[in-house]
Amino acid sequence: MTQEEFHKLVHLVMDSPAHPPETLFTGGMDNWRARAHLAHFLAMKGIDKEKEALELFRSIVEEEIDEENAEEVEEKAFALQKLCSLEKSLNQDEKALNHINLAIELAENTDFLYKYLLRGELWADRWNLMHKMKMTEQAEAEVDERLEAYKDLPIPHNSYVYYGYRFKAHLAAARGSGTLIAKDYMHMALHAMEIPERNKAALEHAFAATHDNTPFILAEIDKATPNPDMLHWDI
């Protein structure tokens, strides 16, 4: 991508409803963070520039960063996560798996508590992709290993536990294991999350459903669950 093409795309996203500040793109094509910022917007629904987003995301995979700088680590890991999501949607699953693995490795190499990146969500992206790739048993074994590692630790708001049990709940639904089993897993998932008072009634209503359409019930629980990105997490 040329500098001119980059700037045309910057103006495209700046004129979109997202309307990001131009300062996000300072440095243009020569700045990997500017390329990552632009790629995030290009991949958004309504802008739909997947080809260009892929090119920009892939251009930062080999970029060296300061691993003592929490913002740089988080931005690169987040970009790799979004690259994985985009490749998964295009059925480029092997590439997607490689990139989510790189995101996990980068995020796990530090003890930073990130502003918006959740380590548990990165692992969930890996597990869901592995399930899609018919590697379900391996994914489930990794989930169980994570849950075992944290079961006795006093970490009340644990993204690994939330996303691990959520994966097991949805896997139970896919296997037809029964609504009660899936609900139990979701109860355990939500115990690892900070639940604001305003969400409790809707969650109770979702769990109270007595029919056997497990995927529908889990979707209703997800709707009632607070956005993980807006909560406090200990890990």
Side-chain angles (χ1 to χ4, degrees):
M1 184 179 295
T2 67
Q3 195 74 257
E4 182 182 358
E5 290 170 332
F6 182 92
H7 285 298
K8 283 182 180 178
L9 291 169
V10 166
H11 287 290
L12 174 71
V13 302
M14 287 175 59
D15 291 338
S16 75
H19 195 58
E22 190 172 8
T23 52
L24 286 178
F25 314 111
T26 300
M29 274 294 292
D30 295 331
N31 185 317
W32 73 263
R33 297 172 84 171
R35 300 199 304 274
H37 295 159
L38 181 57
H40 285 296
F41 287 103
L42 293 175
M44 289 173 61
K45 289 182 180 179
I47 298 179
D48 302 317
K49 292 286 187 180
E50 292 180 340
K51 179 181 176 183
E52 292 85 352
L54 274 174
E55 179 181 348
L56 290 170
F57 275 136
R58 286 173 175 164
S59 75
I60 72 164
V61 172
E62 301 297 331
E63 287 282 349
E64 293 187 4
I65 64 168
D66 177 5
E67 295 195 18
E68 301 299 319
N69 184 318
E71 285 189 8
E72 285 199 23
V73 173
E74 185 168 24
E75 282 199 33
K76 183 170 181 181
F78 186 49
L80 289 167
Q81 181 185 26
K82 293 302 180 182
L83 173 56
C84 164
S85 177
L86 191 53
E87 288 170 333
K88 180 183 176 184
S89 72
L90 297 171
N91 293 315
Q92 299 177 12
D93 294 341
E94 291 290 345
K95 291 179 179 178
L97 185 60
N98 178 53
H99 291 134
I100 198 61
N101 289 343
L102 290 176
I104 290 169
E105 180 181 2
L106 184 59
E108 297 279 22
N109 273 347
T110 76
D111 293 325
F112 297 133
L113 187 60
Y114 301 114
K115 292 180 180 176
Y116 50 85
L117 191 74
L118 291 176
R119 291 173 175 86
E121 186 180 23
L122 294 176
W123 281 96
D125 287 349
R126 170 178 161 83
W127 299 328
N128 286 315
L129 179 57
M130 291 170 72
H131 177 57
K132 182 189 177 194
M133 297 171 70
K134 313 298 184 187
M135 301 165 65
T136 305
E137 288 187 8
Q138 182 182 341
E140 192 173 16
E142 289 183 7
V143 172
D144 290 339
E145 182 180 350
R146 284 279 165 183
L147 294 175
E148 179 66 23
Y150 285 103
K151 71 176 185 178
D152 296 322
L153 296 181
I155 304 174
H157 306 128
N158 189 323
S159 67
Y160 294 115
V161 174
Y162 169 71
Y163 282 102
Y165 278 122
R166 185 180 179 278
F167 177 82
K168 288 176 76 71
H170 284 264
L171 192 56
R175 288 171 170 168
S177 301
T179 301
L180 287 178
I181 291 175
K183 282 184 179 180
D184 282 345
Y185 283 137
M186 281 310 301
H187 274 300
M188 289 186 278
L190 292 171
H191 279 309
M193 172 186 276
E194 181 183 37
I195 305 293
E197 196 64 36
R198 63 182 177 273
N199 294 88
K200 291 182 179 178
L203 280 169
E204 287 178 12
H205 179 75
F207 275 104
T210 56
H211 57 78
D212 291 326
N213 187 339
T214 310
F216 179 83
I217 291 173
L218 292 181
E220 291 300 297
I221 291 171
D222 275 347
K223 287 179 187 176
T225 299
N227 183 347
D229 293 340
M230 306 302 291
L231 301 178
H232 164 76
W233 295 92
D234 297 311
I235 190 170

